[in-house]
């Protein structure tokens, strides 16, 4: 892997790690903060909905029990109970057609009633129960005689269709029972319609159901021995029947399937009827499941009450089944049933067949356990579909019932914004990483290009010189250390080539001098001592002079030569030996110097490489220092921004508080206006009544009084609306202040985290600065070492050159010394042969 | 809620009997007047009918589930916060005496006369009726209001009414607001006065 690849990969990896680290930190903090805020928001919303529904349910039951308590003590009901009981017991005993009815009539007389059981009743039952056969014949066969008589009269012969039997005020048989029925039925029916009950029953002390409004097939049966003795209605009677039950006591029987109402869910409320201290019977009201269902399902307007796409409220009874329909059954039946199948709901078949959750859908979750144990709270757990939900649960405080109320919303919907935030941060982090990668890549490319280009030029120049082009030069102009290196290299080439040319000229001159010297020597070799040797200006000049002098002196000394030549020969031999010794030492020294130069060249190459690396690291350290400074500035700005946010939120909270105080003052003023309006209303009312008592004379004044009264009523309505608005403002103000306080706490926490990040960044910045300074010192030391090494190399080369010259000179000296011995021997022989001048 | 004890019932029933006789006389007068179309009726409601046609607009007062039509011929006045002077030794259902333009008016509670009726909590308002030269009144929870009635809403048979009120009911109507009684207020106060004398 070359330097370029290493630098690019290193820079890219560093940038990616930095961006990824910052992105991960930001994403983690944002996700945590968002999750806490969303959980708190969902908790407040669900608790609010839960409390509202709890209040409404308890209010519903309180209203029903209050009405039952009042109605059971009503004089009309007391009289009705007594008279219905008397008439019921008299059936078959008096003179009217009904009263004369033979209670032993054959079944044939009740064919119309049997047709009703097997016809309209069975058809309606099948329609509402997915085709299930009600087995009505068995119930018909078990009917008591009086029940058959009354049901035949008020159900079978009732001209009104099924579902509208209550329209009949009385049968036309003229019996005492029908007279009593005609007297009381319109009032009890009006009460039922006014308050929306499913049915109202009067039961005597023997358990005979002597009266019901809707005349279903429980009408006139006996609740202690008849078919419905063990039903919810029978239980309601038994609960209220004992003499120990006080007149104001109300008993409640929880919702359960009720056969006469086509197996629909029904709850019963019962209270004894007393006439003074004498107990006459029991008044029972059948509660409408639709009203509770509409209340809990918010009339299927879940989104309008803040429950979003998956929120719902439902009631779970002590048997761990629902008391209202699941939202998911209503909105997406197929998906709901599939979820129950996966969750292993045991009553799936019943829910599918009857298309209702009431009394069938199981709900045994941690929340229902807590609420049924009497605890209210908030938690996250899988609901009855095994889907994780945020749940606010509470017990319902209705005497006689063990109910829990759950307000829940799917966790996926509540926390959906977190995924959006996370995706946005990851997307932005990816974009920043790609941008950083691109910038770092471009920077590294241009940096490396500025280094490799001069190096390539230097390499090509060396190649050309090696091929013999001595004019080739690098001529770098990169304005950096590489340019200095190139110029030194060019200078070195110039010096080397100049030295080589000078040596060539000197060799040529020396050759010419040697030729002249050789010519003269050849003449001398002919033993002509008269020859004169030409004298050159080079090193041979002195030899020529010496030859000339030697020729001149030779003659003089030849005579002496013979004497001393023997001594010379001996001395020369000694010199020869010493020369050889010196030459050997010079050769050893040359080898050592050459090795030293080789080592120095390797060291120089290593130092150069280190210098380049140090320079690169120095640049990277500068980049890191710059990046950490920028990041520290960003963190400091972030802290300043959060401080500003905290101040702004705090100021907003104060203003909202002042708004709440102002709204309180408005409420006081509205109260004064309301009092004035009330007094004006009464004043106008008195005027109106006075005008009315004045007859025709007061008509004009009555108009004025009416207008004043309308104005006062309008004023009262307006003040009521203002008062409601003020209450809403104060409530919203209180909630807004709570939210503001929570926001301030989070901003403070965020500021502390940002402050810690700023401290860490400052420490990182300081470390990066120290690192950059250390690298810079290494770079300086490395440059000095390179310079010292170059000087050492130069000196070593000088020593090498001197050693080579010494060796060469010693070789020449050795040769010449050898020649000198030979010459001396020849000289002695020759001298003897010379003919010397006289 | 206060109620009568057994010793008071005969007195009240005696007063009621007397009132019934007066009422019978009034009914006979009413029938005579209805047979003579050009003659003004003593029945205030009939008088209003002639003025407004099929419907009549009256002042009405609701006490529990029963509405009382205020007769136009009896000057009536509502007082928000009257000053009451308690009468020592008087029955508990007699609240005291107040003065209306110099005339002393006894004020009492009506819950003993209306079955299952209980006053709501909070401030009490008083309605005072001028019966000739004297005045009397009782406490109410709600101030009177306008009520529109028609002959179509008139009931042929009276529904079950509180025993103390039924003798003074002259006619009964049922509209969307509930039951309304055209009642003999003078007779009612006469019976109440007799009751208070013997308490």
């Amino acid at each position: 892997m070359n330097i370029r690849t290493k630098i690019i990969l290193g820079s890219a990896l560093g940038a990616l790690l930095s961006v990824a680290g910052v992105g991960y930190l930001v994403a983690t903090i944002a996700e945590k903060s968002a999750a806490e805020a969303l959980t708190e928001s969902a908790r407040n919303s669900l608790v609010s909905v839960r409390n509202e529904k709890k209040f409404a349910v308890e209010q519903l039951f309180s209203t029903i029990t209050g009405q039952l308590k009042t109605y059971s003590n009503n004089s009309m009901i007391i009289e009705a109970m007594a008279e219905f009981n008397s008439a019921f017991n008299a059936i078959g005993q008096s003179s009217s057609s009904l009263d004369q009815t033979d209670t032993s009539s054959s079944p044939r007389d009740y064919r119309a009633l049997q047709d009703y059981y097997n016809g309209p009743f069975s058809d309606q039952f099948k329609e509402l129960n997915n085709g299930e056969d009600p087995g009505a014949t068995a119930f018909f066969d078990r009917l008591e005689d009086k029940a058959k008589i009354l049901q035949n009269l008020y159900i079978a012969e009732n001209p009104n269709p099924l579902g509208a039997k209550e329209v009949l005020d009385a049968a036309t048989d003229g019996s005492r029972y029908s007279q009593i029925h005609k007297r009381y039925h319109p009032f009890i029916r009006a009460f039922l319609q006014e308050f929306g009950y499913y049915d109202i029953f009067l039961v005597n002390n023997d358990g005979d159901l002597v009266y019901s409004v809707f005349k279903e097939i429980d009408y006139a049966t006996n609740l202690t021995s008849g078919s419905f003795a063990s039903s919810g209605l029978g239980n309601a009677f038994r609960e209220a029947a004992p003499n120990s039950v006080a007149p104001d006591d109300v008993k409640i029987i929880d919702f359960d399937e009720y056969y006469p109402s086509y197996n629909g869910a029904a709850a019963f409320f019962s209270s004894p009827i007393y006439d003074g201290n004498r107990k006459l019977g029991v008044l029972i009201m059948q509660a409408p499941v639709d009203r509770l269902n509409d209340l809990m399902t918010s009339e299927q307007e879940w989104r309008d009450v803040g429950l979003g796409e998956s929120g719902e409220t439902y009631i779970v009874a002590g048997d761990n089944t629902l008391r209202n329909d699941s939202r998911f059954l209503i909105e997406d039946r197929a998906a709901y049933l599939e979820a129950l199948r996966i969750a292993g709901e045991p009553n799936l078949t019943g829910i599918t067949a009857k298309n209702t959750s009431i009394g069938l859908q199981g709900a045994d979750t941690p929340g229902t356990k807590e609420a049924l144990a009497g605890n209210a709270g908030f938690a996250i757990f899988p609901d009855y579909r095994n889907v994780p939900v945020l749940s606010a649960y509470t017990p319902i405080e209705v005497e006689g019932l063990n109910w829990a109320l759950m307000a829940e919303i799917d966790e996926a919907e509540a926390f959906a914004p977190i995924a959006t935030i996370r995706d946005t941060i990851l997307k932005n982090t990816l974009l920043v990483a790609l941008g950083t990668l691109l910038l770092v890549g471009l920077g590294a490319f241009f940096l490396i290009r500025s280094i490799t280009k001069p190096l390539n030029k230097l390499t090509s120049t060396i190649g050309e010189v090696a091929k013999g082009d001595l004019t080739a030069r690098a001529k770098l102009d990169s304005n950096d250390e590489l340019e200095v290196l190139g110029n030194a290299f060019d200078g070195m080439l110039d010096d080397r080539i100049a030295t080589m040319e000078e040596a060539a000229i000197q060799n040529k001159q020396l050759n010419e001098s040697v030729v002249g010297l050789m010519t003269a020597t050849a003449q001398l070799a002919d033993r002509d001592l008269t020859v004169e040797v030409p004298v050159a200006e080079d090193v041979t000049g002195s030899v020529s002079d010496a030859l000339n002098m030697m020729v001149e002196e030779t003659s003089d000394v030849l005579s002496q030569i013979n004497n001393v030549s023997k001594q010379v020969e001996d001395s020369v031999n000694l010199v020869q030996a010493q020369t050889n010794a010196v030459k050997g030492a010079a050769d050893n020294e040359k080898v050592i110097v050459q090795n030293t130069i080789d080592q120095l060249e390797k060291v120089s190459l290593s130092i150069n490489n280190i210098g380049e690396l140090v320079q690169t690291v120095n640049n990277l350290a500068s980049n890191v220092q710059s990046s950490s400074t920028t990041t520290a500035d960003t963190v400091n700005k972030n802290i300043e921004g959060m401080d500003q946010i905290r101040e702004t939120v705090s100021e907003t909270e104060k203003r909202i508080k002042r708004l709440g105080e102002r709204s309180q003052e408005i409420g006081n003023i509205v109260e004064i206006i309301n009092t004035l309006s009330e007094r004006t209303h009464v004043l106008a009312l008195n005027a109106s009544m006075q005008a009315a008592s004045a007859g025709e004379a007061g008509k004009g004044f009555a108009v004025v009084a009416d207008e004043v009264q309308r104005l006062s009523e309008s004023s009262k309505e307006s003040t009521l609306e203002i008062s409601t608005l003020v209450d809403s403002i104060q409530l919203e103000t209180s909630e807004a202040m709570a939210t503001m306080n929570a926001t301030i706490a989070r901003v403070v926490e965020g500021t502390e985290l940002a402050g810690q990040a700023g401290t860490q960044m400052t420490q990182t910045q300081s470390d990066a600065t120290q690192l950059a300074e250390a690298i810079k010192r290494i770079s300086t030391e490395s440059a000095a070492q390179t310079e010292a090494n170059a000087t050492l190399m130069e000196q070593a080369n000088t020593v090498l050159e001197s050693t080579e010259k010494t060796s060469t000179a010693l070789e020449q000296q050795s040769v010449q010394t050898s020649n000198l011995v030979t010459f001396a021997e020849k000289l002695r022989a020759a001298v003897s042969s010379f003919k010397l001048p006289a | 809620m206060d109620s009568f004890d057994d010793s008071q019932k005969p007195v009240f029933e005696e007063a009621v009997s007397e009132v019934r006789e007066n009422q019978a006389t009034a009914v006979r007068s009413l029938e005579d007047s209805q047979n003579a179309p050009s003659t003004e009726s003593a029945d205030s409601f009939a008088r209003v009918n002639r003025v407004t046609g099929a419907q009549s607009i009256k002042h009405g007062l609701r006490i529990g589930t029963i509405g009382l039509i205020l007769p136009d011929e009896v000057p009536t006045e509502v007082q928000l916060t009257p000053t009451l002077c308690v009468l020592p030794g008087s029955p508990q259902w007699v609240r005291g005496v107040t003065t209306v333009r110099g005339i002393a008016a006894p004020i009492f509670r009506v819950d003993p006369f209306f079955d299952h009726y209980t006053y709501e909590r909070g401030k009490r308002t008083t309605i005072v009726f001028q019966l000739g030269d004297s005045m009397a009144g009782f406490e109410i929870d709600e101030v009177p209001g306008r009520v529109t009635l028609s002959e179509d809403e008139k009931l042929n048979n009276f529904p079950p009414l509180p025993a103390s009120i039924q003798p003074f009911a002259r006619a009964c109507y049922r509209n969307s607001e509930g039951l309304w009684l055209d009642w003999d207020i003078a007779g009612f106060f006469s019976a109440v006065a007799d009751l208070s004398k013997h308490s």
Side-chain angles (χ1 to χ4, degrees), chain A residues 523-583:
Chain A
Q523 289 175 336
L524 287 175
D526 290 339
R527 296 174 182 125
D528 184 5
L529 296 180
T530 61
V531 71
E532 186 177 353
V533 181
V535 177
E537 294 181 352
D538 55 20
V539 293
T540 61
S542 58
V543 176
S544 297
D545 286 339
L547 279 177
N548 288 331
M549 287 181 67
M550 184 184 71
V551 170
E552 287 178 4
E553 294 293 332
T554 299
S555 298
D556 296 333
V557 296
L558 273 177
S559 57
Q560 300 174 9
I561 289 173
N562 282 328
N563 297 327
V564 295
S565 61
K566 179 78 171 158
Q567 295 174 349
V568 168
E569 187 178 357
D570 294 339
S571 299
V572 167
N573 284 333
L574 288 174
V575 170
Q576 179 72 26
Q578 289 178 345
T579 300
N580 288 336
V582 171
K583 186 173 181 297

Side-chain angles (χ1 to χ4, degrees), chain A residues 758-792:
Chain A
T759 306
Q760 291 294 329
M761 288 309 301
T762 304
Q763 183 62 38
T764 303
Q765 187 181 6
S766 173
D767 294 344
T769 303
Q770 292 178 7
L771 181 62
E773 289 174 355
I775 291 171
K776 196 174 287 182
R777 283 201 299 274
I778 292 171
S779 178
T780 305
E781 293 296 332
S782 178
Q785 193 174 2
T786 303
E787 194 175 344
N789 195 60
T791 305
L792 202 57

